[in-house]
């Protein structure tokens, strides 16, 4: 304490002396006359500055010497570690200075400099758990993957830095596309730090990509437990995983288990359309028409969807068109204003050959929000009602350039999927598909071109198709259903 105070006082004295000297220099406007032991020197400004610098250096050496002598005296008085402590202190200071420089270099984006500083700090400090952290980031910054990997592996040795090492290696594997190793590392990282939200997300995504649905459900449970996921989102995602599990089981041929898993998925999230469809089909297979009806009805209430209608038709596969129209009233009474409901009603009426009723169902829809599907239905109605070929062609021509209507679209990358999948095929995000219309501009292309000769009764030569048709869609399903 006193020693520090003394240092400060000395420092102030030196500064004051310098300032005084400088003023003197200004006033004399030339040189300074110094007299030591009766010998006088005249110093010019430059010489004076050199002398001042030498004085400072001398002072610094004296201070160092004094602190060393103090350590020496302590040593002689029986404090055995005084001298080694003196040198340690010096080394430590140099090490931390180098580390601070390294961190500065990292922050200012100078990877190479940061690496050099980290190496210097390590030389003085011998604290790899600290210096390696800088070295790893610096290596990543300059793109030296080998060096970074080496450092991450070194970090694995220490308990305190193991997680950082595993995470670093995992990110490297992810970047290089080695998902199998990344998955193992993610599992390791998760076991080290189950509360780490980023690790949970990466692990979940890798497990879903690997079709490890039960593992993913466990990870999801951890996310809920550690509060990084709202309860309703958890429920929905759990349902998606349960459904994916059910599909896998069904694929392997175990229908009873798949049935249970599908019903479970539907219970967790009644609005998850593919789960409702699968659960309904499970009930149909078990001969339980009442439960199948209930499941679809509940899901239709939330989100009318053609797949639900298709599953609903399967409950009574052999009924007449009239009977079907009547039975479907359970669905069409709900959400009567929804475009999907209107189109369903039109389809059912077309099948029952009640064309005026079909027209009534979608007349306003084709005006307010025409889609290729509703316009194609309109063409079918005109055709059934015996209208001119020109009129039918008019509707079909409009259908070609109309928007496609809602589809399974990834919220994140807007990739359009023909069927629902738990993981986006384009950006590999989990549970990002929703049944919505593509943003304007992504004009849909004709799914109904192949139907032209059937409905019009001849090749539609005047229709110009601008783009190749993508995958087959609702119209085809509508056909099979109607
Ligand atoms: Zn996507």
């Amino acid at each position: 304490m006193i020693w520090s105070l003394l240092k400060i006082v000395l420092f102030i004295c030196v500064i004051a002396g310098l300032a005084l000297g400088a003023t003197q220099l200004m006033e004399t406007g030339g040189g300074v006359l110094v007299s030591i032991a009766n010998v006088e020197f005249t110093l010019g400004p430059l010489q004076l500055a050199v002398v001042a610098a030498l004085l400072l250096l001398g002072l610094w050496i004296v201070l160092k010497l004094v602190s060393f002598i103090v350590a020496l005296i302590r040593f002689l008085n029986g404090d055995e570690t005084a001298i080694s402590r003196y040198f340690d202190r010096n080394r430590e200071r140099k090490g931390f200075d180098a580390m601070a420089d390294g961190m500065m270099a990292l922050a200012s984006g100078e990877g190479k400099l940061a690496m050099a500083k980290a190496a210097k700090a390590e030389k003085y400090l011998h604290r790899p758990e600290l210096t390696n952290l800088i070295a790893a980031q610096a290596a990543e910054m300059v793109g030296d993957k080998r060096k970074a990997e080496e450092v991450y592996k070194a970090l694995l040795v220490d308990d305190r830095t193991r997680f950082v090492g595993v995470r670093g290696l995992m990110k490297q594997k992810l970047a290089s596309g080695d998902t199998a190793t990344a998955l193992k590392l993610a599992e390791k990282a998760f076991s080290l730090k189950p509360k780490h939200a980023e690790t949970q997300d990466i692990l979940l995504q890798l497990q879903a990509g690997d079709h490890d649905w039960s593992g993913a459900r466990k990870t999801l449970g951890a996310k809920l437990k550690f509060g990084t996921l709202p309860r309703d989102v958890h429920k929905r995602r759990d349902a998606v995983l349960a459904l994916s599990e059910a599909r896998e089981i069904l694929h392997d041929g175990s229908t009873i288990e798949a049935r249970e898993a599908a019903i479970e998925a539907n219970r967790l999230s009644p609005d998850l359309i593919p789960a409702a469809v699968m659960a309904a089909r499970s009930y149909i297979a078990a001969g339980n028409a009442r439960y199948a009806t209930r499941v679809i009805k509940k899901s239709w209430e939330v989100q009318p969807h053609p797949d639900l209608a298709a599953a609903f038709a399967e409950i009574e596969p052999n009924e007449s068109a009239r009977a079907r129209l009547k039975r479907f009233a359970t669905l069409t009474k709900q959400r009567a204003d929804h475009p999907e409901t209107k189109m369903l009603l039109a389809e059912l009426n077309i099948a029952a050959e009640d064309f005026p009723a079909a027209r009534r169902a979608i007349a306003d829809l084709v005006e307010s929000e025409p889609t290729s599907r509703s316009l194609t239905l309109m063409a079918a109605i005109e055709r059934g009602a015996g209208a001119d070929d020109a009129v039918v062609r008019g509707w079909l021509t409009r259908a070609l350039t109309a928007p496609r209507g809602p589809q399974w679209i990834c919220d994140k990358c807007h990739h359009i999927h023909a069927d629902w999948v738990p993981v986006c095929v384009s950006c590999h995000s989990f549970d990002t598909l929703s049944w919505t219309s593509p943003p304007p501009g992504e004009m849909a292309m004709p799914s109904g071109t192949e139907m032209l000769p059937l409905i019009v009764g001849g090749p539609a030569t005047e229709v110009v198709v601008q783009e190749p048709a993508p995958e087959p869609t609702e119209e085809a399903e509508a056909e099979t259903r109607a």
Side-chain angles (χ1 to χ4, degrees), residues 94-122:
K94 280 182 190 157
F96 280 118
D97 280 351
M99 235 177 80
D101 288 347
M103 282 159 109
M104 267 342 156
L106 263 190
S108 54
E110 296 163 287
K112 283 229 153 64
L113 182 64
M115 252 155 105
K117 292 291 179 189
K120 190 176 169 195
E122 176 54 25

Side-chain angles (χ1 to χ4, degrees), residues 410-415 417 424-429 432-433:
C410 173
D411 297 335
K412 219 166 163 185
C413 70
H414 304 296
H415 185 84
H417 297 73
C424 169
V425 297
S426 171
C427 69
H428 308 291
S429 302
T432 51
L433 263 58

Side-chain angles (χ1 to χ4, degrees), residues 44-56:
L46 181 67
Q47 287 159 319
L48 196 71
V50 170
V51 168
L54 283 176
L55 274 175
L56 267 180

Side-chain angles (χ1 to χ4, degrees), residues 76 169 224 299:
L76 293 176
L169 289 172
L224 178 73
S299 191

Side-chain angles (χ1 to χ4, degrees), residues 27-49:
E27 280 168 6
T28 53
V32 164
L33 196 69
V34 181
S35 129
I36 301 171
N38 291 336
V39 185
E40 294 189 342
F41 302 92
T42 313
L43 297 175
L46 181 67
Q47 287 159 319
L48 196 71

Side-chain angles (χ1 to χ4, degrees), residues 2-74:
I2 293 169
W3 181 229
S4 309
L5 192 68
L6 197 65
K7 270 201 236 176
I8 292 168
V9 170
L10 266 173
F11 181 72
I12 292 171
C13 286
V14 168
I15 295 291
L18 278 178
L20 208 66
T23 333
Q24 202 90 43
L25 197 66
M26 295 290 180
E27 280 168 6
T28 53
V32 164
L33 196 69
V34 181
S35 129
I36 301 171
N38 291 336
V39 185
E40 294 189 342
F41 302 92
T42 313
L43 297 175
L46 181 67
Q47 287 159 319
L48 196 71
V50 170
V51 168
L54 283 176
L55 274 175
L56 267 180
L57 186 69
L59 188 70
W60 183 73
I61 291 171
V62 167
L63 285 177
K64 284 277 149 194
L65 215 59
V66 168
S67 73
F68 180 69
I69 288 167
V70 168
L72 196 67
I73 290 167
R74 280 191 186 152

Side-chain angles (χ1 to χ4, degrees), residues 3 197 318 469 480:
W3 181 229
N318 299 318
T480 49

